[in-house]
Amino acid sequence: MTRASRITRLSTELANQIAAGEVVERPASVVKELVENALDAGAARIGVSVELGGKRLIRVEDDGEGMTPAEAELALERHATSKISRLDDLAAIMTLGFRGEALPSIASVSHLLLRTRARGESRGTEIRVSGGGTVSTREVGASEGTTFEVTDLFFNVPARRKFLKSDGAETTQVSRLVTQLALGHPTVGFSLTSGRRQLLQCPPASSLEERLFQLYKDRDDLVEVRKQAAGITVTGFVAALAGPGEGPRRGPQNIFVNGRGVKDRTIAHAIVHAYSVATIKERSPEVHLFLEMPPDRVDVNVHPTKAEVRFLEQSLVHEVLRRAIGEALEQGPAPEIGLDPVAPRVGRAEGMALGVGVTSAASAIDQGGWRPVSSTEGGPAVGFSPDGGGQPFRDLVREMRPTAVVPAPVVDRPLQPLGQFRDTFIIAIDDEGIAIIDQHVAHERILFEQVMERLTTGTLESQQLLMPMVIELPAAERQALAAHGEALARLGFDVEAFGGDSLRVSALPAIVDLAACETALRALAQDLDGLDQGAVIDEALRQMAATTACHAAVKANDRLTSEKMAYLLDELRRTAHSSVCPHGRPVVLRLSRKEIERRFERT
Ligand SMILES: Nc1ncnc2c1ncn2[C@@H]1O[C@H](COP(=O)(O)OP(=O)(O)OP(=O)(O)O)[C@@H](O)[C@H]1O
Ligand SMILES: [Mg+2]
């Protein structure tokens, strides 16, 4: 005797509800699917309205191609789509949808009304579905295009309903999503209302810039990205490196790959990386980025909500994006620099300023960006020239306050060191003028970039200690170090718990002096302790690189040999991204030849 089969086929309704579990998480996911359908239907205008955060009602209207009666009925069936018909089509997908799942999923967990009229048809169709079952189908008068109304979302899935947030929170999600979709499709008009409130109103725009303006108003704190390489086009706008102590603006990160809003680790990492060489100030800068590439180089069929993609050449995408942003940041409006060396402290990575450069300042002079300060200002005159003639040096320097710095490669000509001023600043010259370099900040930047460079390819060189060192740290910091053992190892530290409050250090990065080891580790521990839970290892490494560089750099009041000075200037010249300044603490101040000649009335 055979037993009765334990396996039965799921009913269509149940299968759809299960699929809905993946695709429809909350009102915003319904809005996403419906708006994407409208976009795929070639709509020029899309109107979205929600009530009670979309829990009571979500309505999406479009003026797209619409559906014939037969299409409308099919559209609500599982695995029915007009967008692909063969597997190969997926490799050339240009539409946002392709799974043929969204509508039946939504319909299975709500009351759904579909009203549509195909272009060129005289009559429209209206279909009502409840919990997946068709309630009625009839011919109606309707305007061209399609309207979906989804009421009482999750009325039949109480478990899901319970997980929804407050009306306000759900509205926020919807609004964020519609904003993102509007950004991704500037030529399409969008409106969003919640109850009677109009949350968004964007008529069709002619460019991304115009759409950005509609959504975010005037934004001179964004810089344009535009790069084409290796068959990948990157366009968009990203947060500029802002003024001293501010860092680039934090904000939404909208990323589109072939028009599809995505979340992607490779892209996120490339953004972090691009900013990390320029600033340590901002962990989540505002970016609006558009990547275009041939559809066969990106797999969109990775995730039910289609919010993830897989790149065929991941590292290529990373590299192109990183460079695109890096170049944009160098072009962009750079921070104002001042002479006051009051750099804001950033955690313990104090003075991680990577500086504004020599010719940046020089070009600001050339462009008339300097604002002379009356020479009666300032403290007692400290003569520069031995006879005290001409303008006091100190006053002269006080005038070197550009209002805007136009970045350029910083030290692109060899500078010849003349000596140190107060064992803290290197005075150097070239044919174009005189430069004053903050030796600590300059060295710190050089080291930071060297460390980052090496970290991207592997680990740092480490020095084994003959006598392991034991240091005592508070529990939280000790744990922070222990939790980042792997990152510490990449930096060249070998650190282990040594019972009680102690840690034993048996190796440290070759660049860190034994004398600075303990301070460096304490600073690292505090940095790491302050990092958000779940901060990516990259973030930790970058922070550590900054702190390590800070503690390994020559200090103010260190007497330098002329070889060491020459070395620093040389390395500084080689340093990539030397024109960008993370917190406005300048590396180099420059007195241009022009300025000198003008002051001595030689022109
Ligand atoms: N607003 C609309 N205007 C015109 N046709 C539509 C509209 N919405 C849906 N359709 C039609 O209904 C079909 C089914 O839509 P559905 O969203 O379920 O699947 P899909 O968009 O093809 O794929 P996916 O599940 O990935 O979204 C679509 O392929 C399209 O032909
Ligand atoms: Mg769809």
Side-chain angles (χ1 to χ4, degrees), residues 1 20 50 65 109 149 257 259 367 380 388 445 471-472 488 508 527 548:
M1 202 178 79
V50 293
E65 63 183 346
V109 293
E149 275 180 22
V257 174
Q367 300 191 7
R445 180 172 77 191
I471 57 175
E472 291 191 359
L488 282 167
L508 58 146
D527 284 351
T548 310

PDB file of all heavy atoms in Angstrom, residues 1 20 50 65 109 149 257 259 367 380 388 445 471-472 488 508 527 548:
ATOM      1  N   MET A   1       0.832  -1.197   0.000  1.00  0.00           N
ATOM      2  CA  MET A   1       0.000   0.000   0.000  1.00  0.00           C
ATOM      3  C   MET A   1       0.876   1.259   0.000  1.00  0.00           C
ATOM      4  O   MET A   1       1.826   1.345   0.770  1.00  0.00           O
ATOM      5  CB  MET A   1      -0.880  -0.011   1.267  1.00  0.00           C
ATOM      6  CG  MET A   1      -2.103   0.858   1.102  1.00  0.00           C
ATOM      7  SD  MET A   1      -3.150   0.787   2.589  1.00  0.00           S
ATOM      8  CE  MET A   1      -2.276   1.886   3.675  1.00  0.00           C
ATOM      9  N   ALA A  20       4.473  37.522  -2.927  1.00  0.00           N
ATOM     10  CA  ALA A  20       4.273  38.884  -2.419  1.00  0.00           C
ATOM     11  C   ALA A  20       5.150  39.126  -1.198  1.00  0.00           C
ATOM     12  O   ALA A  20       5.611  40.240  -0.961  1.00  0.00           O
ATOM     13  CB  ALA A  20       2.800  39.112  -2.076  1.00  0.00           C
ATOM     14  N   VAL A  50      -1.178  58.726  -1.757  1.00  0.00           N
ATOM     15  CA  VAL A  50      -1.319  57.733  -0.686  1.00  0.00           C
ATOM     16  C   VAL A  50      -2.188  58.308   0.415  1.00  0.00           C
ATOM     17  O   VAL A  50      -2.269  59.523   0.587  1.00  0.00           O
ATOM     18  CB  VAL A  50       0.049  57.322  -0.084  1.00  0.00           C
ATOM     19  CG1 VAL A  50       0.889  56.567  -1.090  1.00  0.00           C
ATOM     20  CG2 VAL A  50       0.813  58.529   0.446  1.00  0.00           C
ATOM     21  N   GLU A  65       1.179  53.774 -22.306  1.00  0.00           N
ATOM     22  CA  GLU A  65       0.529  53.110 -23.449  1.00  0.00           C
ATOM     23  C   GLU A  65      -0.759  52.360 -23.092  1.00  0.00           C
ATOM     24  O   GLU A  65      -1.526  51.995 -23.984  1.00  0.00           O
ATOM     25  CB  GLU A  65       1.505  52.149 -24.126  1.00  0.00           C
ATOM     26  CG  GLU A  65       1.954  51.016 -23.222  1.00  0.00           C
ATOM     27  CD  GLU A  65       2.987  50.115 -23.875  1.00  0.00           C
ATOM     28  OE1 GLU A  65       3.152  50.209 -25.101  1.00  0.00           O
ATOM     29  OE2 GLU A  65       3.620  49.323 -23.149  1.00  0.00           O
ATOM     30  N   VAL A 109      -2.546  40.461  -1.905  1.00  0.00           N
ATOM     31  CA  VAL A 109      -2.508  40.923  -0.508  1.00  0.00           C
ATOM     32  C   VAL A 109      -3.224  42.263  -0.320  1.00  0.00           C
ATOM     33  O   VAL A 109      -2.921  43.014   0.595  1.00  0.00           O
ATOM     34  CB  VAL A 109      -1.053  41.038   0.012  1.00  0.00           C
ATOM     35  CG1 VAL A 109      -0.406  39.668   0.106  1.00  0.00           C
ATOM     36  CG2 VAL A 109      -0.222  41.962  -0.883  1.00  0.00           C
ATOM     37  N   GLU A 149      -5.336  51.301  -8.160  1.00  0.00           N
ATOM     38  CA  GLU A 149      -5.657  51.698  -6.794  1.00  0.00           C
ATOM     39  C   GLU A 149      -5.525  50.476  -5.913  1.00  0.00           C
ATOM     40  O   GLU A 149      -6.162  49.458  -6.160  1.00  0.00           O
ATOM     41  CB  GLU A 149      -7.096  52.218  -6.712  1.00  0.00           C
ATOM     42  CG  GLU A 149      -7.219  53.678  -7.062  1.00  0.00           C
ATOM     43  CD  GLU A 149      -8.658  54.171  -6.962  1.00  0.00           C
ATOM     44  OE1 GLU A 149      -9.461  53.519  -6.249  1.00  0.00           O
ATOM     45  OE2 GLU A 149      -8.950  55.175  -7.615  1.00  0.00           O
ATOM     46  N   VAL A 257      21.735  52.217 -12.022  1.00  0.00           N
ATOM     47  CA  VAL A 257      22.468  51.475 -13.040  1.00  0.00           C
ATOM     48  C   VAL A 257      21.487  51.236 -14.184  1.00  0.00           C
ATOM     49  O   VAL A 257      20.456  50.592 -13.978  1.00  0.00           O
ATOM     50  CB  VAL A 257      23.000  50.149 -12.485  1.00  0.00           C
ATOM     51  CG1 VAL A 257      23.627  49.324 -13.599  1.00  0.00           C
ATOM     52  CG2 VAL A 257      24.007  50.403 -11.375  1.00  0.00           C
ATOM     53  N   GLY A 259      19.362  53.182 -15.321  1.00  0.00           N
ATOM     54  CA  GLY A 259      18.054  53.721 -14.971  1.00  0.00           C
ATOM     55  C   GLY A 259      17.390  53.066 -13.774  1.00  0.00           C
ATOM     56  O   GLY A 259      16.327  53.489 -13.337  1.00  0.00           O
ATOM     57  N   GLN A 367      43.479  84.635  -9.814  1.00  0.00           N
ATOM     58  CA  GLN A 367      42.106  84.942 -10.166  1.00  0.00           C
ATOM     59  C   GLN A 367      41.517  86.025  -9.279  1.00  0.00           C
ATOM     60  O   GLN A 367      40.310  86.201  -9.211  1.00  0.00           O
ATOM     61  CB  GLN A 367      41.259  83.672 -10.065  1.00  0.00           C
ATOM     62  CG  GLN A 367      41.805  82.648 -11.017  1.00  0.00           C
ATOM     63  CD  GLN A 367      40.872  81.484 -11.171  1.00  0.00           C
ATOM     64  OE1 GLN A 367      39.765  81.491 -10.675  1.00  0.00           O
ATOM     65  NE2 GLN A 367      41.325  80.487 -11.903  1.00  0.00           N
ATOM     66  N   PRO A 380      51.654  92.841  16.686  1.00  0.00           N
ATOM     67  CA  PRO A 380      52.886  93.587  16.492  1.00  0.00           C
ATOM     68  C   PRO A 380      53.606  93.111  15.241  1.00  0.00           C
ATOM     69  O   PRO A 380      53.616  91.933  14.933  1.00  0.00           O
ATOM     70  CB  PRO A 380      53.708  93.268  17.747  1.00  0.00           C
ATOM     71  CG  PRO A 380      53.064  92.044  18.323  1.00  0.00           C
ATOM     72  CD  PRO A 380      51.646  92.075  17.925  1.00  0.00           C
ATOM     73  N   GLY A 388      63.760  95.407   8.384  1.00  0.00           N
ATOM     74  CA  GLY A 388      62.399  95.714   8.814  1.00  0.00           C
ATOM     75  C   GLY A 388      61.630  96.528   7.779  1.00  0.00           C
ATOM     76  O   GLY A 388      60.529  96.977   8.039  1.00  0.00           O
ATOM     77  N   ARG A 445      49.878  63.558   5.400  1.00  0.00           N
ATOM     78  CA  ARG A 445      49.146  63.267   4.174  1.00  0.00           C
ATOM     79  C   ARG A 445      49.887  62.250   3.311  1.00  0.00           C
ATOM     80  O   ARG A 445      49.302  61.338   2.747  1.00  0.00           O
ATOM     81  CB  ARG A 445      48.890  64.529   3.366  1.00  0.00           C
ATOM     82  CG  ARG A 445      48.120  64.175   2.108  1.00  0.00           C
ATOM     83  CD  ARG A 445      47.672  65.375   1.360  1.00  0.00           C
ATOM     84  NE  ARG A 445      48.772  65.948   0.626  1.00  0.00           N
ATOM     85  CZ  ARG A 445      48.709  67.124   0.041  1.00  0.00           C
ATOM     86  NH1 ARG A 445      47.640  67.843   0.151  1.00  0.00           N
ATOM     87  NH2 ARG A 445      49.724  67.568  -0.626  1.00  0.00           N
ATOM     88  N   ILE A 471      50.304  46.969  27.210  1.00  0.00           N
ATOM     89  CA  ILE A 471      49.648  48.236  27.557  1.00  0.00           C
ATOM     90  C   ILE A 471      48.283  47.965  28.184  1.00  0.00           C
ATOM     91  O   ILE A 471      47.660  46.949  27.919  1.00  0.00           O
ATOM     92  CB  ILE A 471      49.476  49.187  26.346  1.00  0.00           C
ATOM     93  CG1 ILE A 471      48.684  48.514  25.221  1.00  0.00           C
ATOM     94  CG2 ILE A 471      50.808  49.627  25.819  1.00  0.00           C
ATOM     95  CD1 ILE A 471      48.398  49.461  24.078  1.00  0.00           C
ATOM     96  N   GLU A 472      47.882  48.879  29.019  1.00  0.00           N
ATOM     97  CA  GLU A 472      46.593  48.715  29.702  1.00  0.00           C
ATOM     98  C   GLU A 472      45.577  49.671  29.122  1.00  0.00           C
ATOM     99  O   GLU A 472      45.866  50.829  28.870  1.00  0.00           O
ATOM    100  CB  GLU A 472      46.770  48.970  31.199  1.00  0.00           C
ATOM    101  CG  GLU A 472      47.581  47.875  31.821  1.00  0.00           C
ATOM    102  CD  GLU A 472      47.577  47.917  33.332  1.00  0.00           C
ATOM    103  OE1 GLU A 472      46.956  48.828  33.903  1.00  0.00           O
ATOM    104  OE2 GLU A 472      48.187  47.017  33.918  1.00  0.00           O
ATOM    105  N   LEU A 488      43.651  45.289  12.207  1.00  0.00           N
ATOM    106  CA  LEU A 488      44.919  45.662  12.830  1.00  0.00           C
ATOM    107  C   LEU A 488      46.072  44.890  12.210  1.00  0.00           C
ATOM    108  O   LEU A 488      47.157  45.423  11.979  1.00  0.00           O
ATOM    109  CB  LEU A 488      44.860  45.384  14.337  1.00  0.00           C
ATOM    110  CG  LEU A 488      44.089  46.404  15.167  1.00  0.00           C
ATOM    111  CD1 LEU A 488      43.840  45.860  16.565  1.00  0.00           C
ATOM    112  CD2 LEU A 488      44.853  47.713  15.242  1.00  0.00           C
ATOM    113  N   LEU A 508      54.356  45.920  15.245  1.00  0.00           N
ATOM    114  CA  LEU A 508      53.669  47.143  14.849  1.00  0.00           C
ATOM    115  C   LEU A 508      54.080  47.539  13.439  1.00  0.00           C
ATOM    116  O   LEU A 508      55.077  47.030  12.922  1.00  0.00           O
ATOM    117  CB  LEU A 508      53.889  48.279  15.848  1.00  0.00           C
ATOM    118  CG  LEU A 508      55.293  48.733  16.143  1.00  0.00           C
ATOM    119  CD1 LEU A 508      55.322  50.206  16.415  1.00  0.00           C
ATOM    120  CD2 LEU A 508      55.777  47.977  17.365  1.00  0.00           C
ATOM    121  N   ASP A 527      39.272  55.539  18.441  1.00  0.00           N
ATOM    122  CA  ASP A 527      38.608  55.672  17.129  1.00  0.00           C
ATOM    123  C   ASP A 527      37.628  54.547  16.923  1.00  0.00           C
ATOM    124  O   ASP A 527      36.480  54.738  16.550  1.00  0.00           O
ATOM    125  CB  ASP A 527      39.612  55.507  15.979  1.00  0.00           C
ATOM    126  CG  ASP A 527      40.451  56.736  15.808  1.00  0.00           C
ATOM    127  OD1 ASP A 527      40.139  57.745  16.446  1.00  0.00           O
ATOM    128  OD2 ASP A 527      41.412  56.651  15.038  1.00  0.00           O
ATOM    129  N   THR A 548      47.254  56.057  12.216  1.00  0.00           N
ATOM    130  CA  THR A 548      48.612  55.558  12.115  1.00  0.00           C
ATOM    131  C   THR A 548      49.508  56.609  11.455  1.00  0.00           C
ATOM    132  O   THR A 548      50.609  56.897  11.929  1.00  0.00           O
ATOM    133  CB  THR A 548      48.649  54.259  11.282  1.00  0.00           C
ATOM    134  OG1 THR A 548      47.666  53.377  11.806  1.00  0.00           O
ATOM    135  CG2 THR A 548      50.003  53.594  11.359  1.00  0.00           C
TER     136      THR A 548
END
